[in-house]
Amino acid sequence: MNENKKDIKNYTSEELKFFLHKDKFPKFYAKQIFIWIYQKRVEDFNLMTDLSKENRDILKEAFYFSNLELLKEETSSDGTKKFLFGLEDGLSIETVFIPEARRATLCISTQVGCKFKCGFCMSGQKGFKRDLRVSEIINQYLFVADKISPNKITNIVFMGIGEPLDNFENTTKTVRILTNQRGICLGAKRISISTCGLVPEIYQLAELDLKIKLSVSLHAVNNNIRSRLMPVNKKYPLEVLIPAIEEFSKISKHAVIIEYVLIKDKNTKKEDAGKLAELIEKIGAKLNILVYNGHSQEFLPPKQEEIDNFKKELNKKGIFFTLRKSRGQDINAACGQLRSIME
């Protein structure tokens, strides 16, 4: 039973060192334990042979190792894999693995459900349940990394179920574990946090200077349209959001990635493309264009003519952009389709 034990994967290296030092453990134990868990993938204190037996026994009484339960795994025709994981309290989340020729990206969830109810996204349709703990976020990586071994995950996007910056502390702690040299040891530039536009948290993330990338879901350059698509815009409208993006770019020295999903008759007009081009040039951002996949009854995918005209206008303005291909759509693993079973 684990009632009186602490989940060791909830701790960063610094937190674990502090916690252990209170109990008179040597400070270097935290580093050794991190190597055992995250590099050697050992989750049994008995096997951590460079720790004294006496201290191993104490650790066994203090900590336990949590894991996710795989409820379902699906593979798309394009090779994308979606995992449905069960949590200790009976709730569930989804994680997506996207293999490509030169990279292998893991899309991680940070919450069960979502508070922000963007009109074109399924993740918040059943409401918000709770934040994920650090261990529940990092265990998504550990499970999939072990599953695909000897192949490796090269990139991580916090773009699954939930708003990562709404679970700020646990998301950033997970980043510290992922980038720790004795942890996962993943390059910070290979990690991207996506947000719907939580302005105070963007500034806070900039101050932490974790060297990671930031992706902002914009989807409209008009407050009225954006507020309809994304209710968060009523609290943090464009004139408040844009300076936060600029500040993050200034501190991080990374161009922020602007995500813009094309939705029929909503944000695909010539003037929309023109204003978007002006904004991208002004803030020096990178631009990803997505085509809405039509999973909501309220919104529809754009016609090909709309897409072509929008791209043509961006090209005319000299704006470089990436048209992101929707992956895993046949297994509901594409952007905005993740929702999981939460009953």
Side-chain angles (χ1 to χ4, degrees):
M1 301 295 288
N2 299 318
E3 285 85 352
N4 299 318
K5 297 183 180 182
K6 300 180 184 296
D7 186 344
I8 198 166
K9 295 180 194 172
N10 280 329
Y11 294 90
T12 65
S13 180
E14 288 302 311
E15 288 175 328
L16 188 59
K17 180 166 65 176
F18 177 79
F19 186 88
L20 294 176
H21 190 59
K22 288 194 303 180
D23 287 343
K24 311 302 182 186
F25 281 80
K27 287 186 176 181
F28 62 83
Y29 261 41
K31 296 178 182 178
Q32 290 174 295
I33 292 170
F34 249 57
I35 290 171
W36 281 109
I37 297 173
Y38 297 112
Q39 294 188 11
K40 298 182 179 180
R41 297 289 205 273
V42 171
E43 297 189 0
D44 182 346
F45 289 116
N46 289 324
L47 300 178
M48 298 183 182
T49 51
D50 55 359
L51 313 180
S52 73
K53 185 179 184 307
E54 179 184 1
N55 284 335
R56 276 182 272 162
D57 290 338
I58 296 173
L59 290 168
K60 282 190 289 185
E61 292 301 314
F63 296 105
Y64 77 99
F65 297 91
S66 66
N67 285 287
L68 300 174
E69 178 189 3
L70 180 63
L71 301 178
K72 188 177 183 180
E73 177 182 343
E74 295 180 88
T75 302
S76 167
S77 58
D78 62 23
T80 299
K81 292 182 180 294
K82 184 173 75 169
F83 303 90
L84 176 67
F85 291 119
L87 307 176
E88 290 178 348
D89 57 5
L91 296 174
S92 58
I93 53 170
E94 288 180 333
T95 308
V96 177
F97 174 66
I98 308 166
E100 298 175 88
R102 297 185 178 179
R103 65 171 63 190
T105 302
L106 188 67
C107 180
I108 289 179
S109 293
T110 54
Q111 296 178 314
V112 184
C114 184
K115 301 174 185 176
F116 296 94
K117 298 183 178 179
C118 297
F120 49 85
C121 180
M122 299 300 292
S123 295
Q125 294 302 306
K126 294 184 180 179
F128 172 77
K129 302 296 182 180
R130 66 171 175 85
D131 289 333
L132 293 183
R133 298 187 290 272
V134 175
S135 59
E136 292 169 325
I137 305 174
I138 200 70
N139 273 331
Q140 295 172 65
Y141 172 89
L142 294 174
F143 182 97
V144 179
D146 290 344
K147 177 83 174 177
I148 67 168
S149 182
N151 296 318
K152 295 184 181 298
I153 295 167
T154 63
N155 295 74
I156 290 177
V157 292
F158 288 85
M159 204 178 283
I161 297 170
E163 163 57 57
L165 295 188
D166 189 48
N167 188 9
F168 189 91
E169 183 177 0
N170 290 346
T171 296
T172 53
K173 280 184 180 182
T174 303
V175 170
R176 294 190 188 279
I177 294 172
L178 288 167
T179 56
N180 189 290
Q181 289 187 342
R182 293 172 180 85
I184 305 301
C185 200
L186 190 70
K189 292 181 180 179
R190 294 185 175 273
I191 298 173
S192 178
I193 289 180
S194 177
T195 180
C196 64
L198 302 190
V199 168
E201 287 78 9
I202 292 174
Y203 283 113
Q204 193 177 350
L205 187 65
E207 289 175 6
L208 287 182
D209 196 18
L210 295 174
K211 311 299 183 186
I212 60 173
K213 295 178 180 178
L214 178 67
S215 175
V216 178
S217 296
L218 193 71
H219 307 321
V221 286
N222 172 292
N223 275 325
N224 290 332
I225 296 173
R226 191 167 190 266
S227 293
R228 183 181 173 190
L229 297 175
M230 307 176 70
V232 70
N233 192 73
K234 297 172 185 176
K235 187 172 184 179
Y236 302 120
L238 293 168
E239 57 268 23
V240 175
L241 174 60
I242 299 307
I245 293 173
E246 292 177 305
E247 181 69 9
F248 184 91
S249 293
K250 178 182 175 182
I251 292 177
S252 70
K253 297 180 172 56
H254 286 318
V256 170
I257 302 163
I258 297 296
E259 306 281 351
Y260 194 99
V261 61
L262 299 176
I263 301 173
K264 185 179 187 296
D265 297 331
K266 302 299 179 189
N267 61 357
T268 58
K269 297 181 179 66
K270 180 179 179 179
E271 53 265 38
D272 295 323
K275 288 181 180 179
L276 179 60
E278 290 176 11
L279 176 62
I280 294 300
E281 188 172 21
K282 173 180 180 290
I283 65 178
K286 294 181 179 180
L287 177 61
N288 282 345
I289 300 292
L290 304 89
V291 177
Y292 181 59
N293 48 41
H295 48 265
S296 166
Q297 294 182 349
E298 184 178 358
F299 302 109
L300 296 172
K303 296 178 180 178
Q304 189 60 49
E305 184 180 2
E306 284 181 89
I307 300 170
D308 292 342
N309 288 340
F310 197 89
K311 289 164 55 181
K312 187 184 300 182
E313 191 64 23
L314 290 176
N315 286 327
K316 190 188 301 183
K317 300 287 185 179
I319 299 299
F320 176 81
F321 59 91
T322 300
L323 182 62
R324 275 178 51 193
K325 183 180 179 182
S326 186
R327 298 289 301 272
Q329 192 166 340
D330 56 331
I331 57 170
N332 292 323
C335 288
Q337 290 186 317
L338 297 185
R339 49 185 172 177
S340 83
I341 300 169
M342 293 188 291
E343 289 82 10

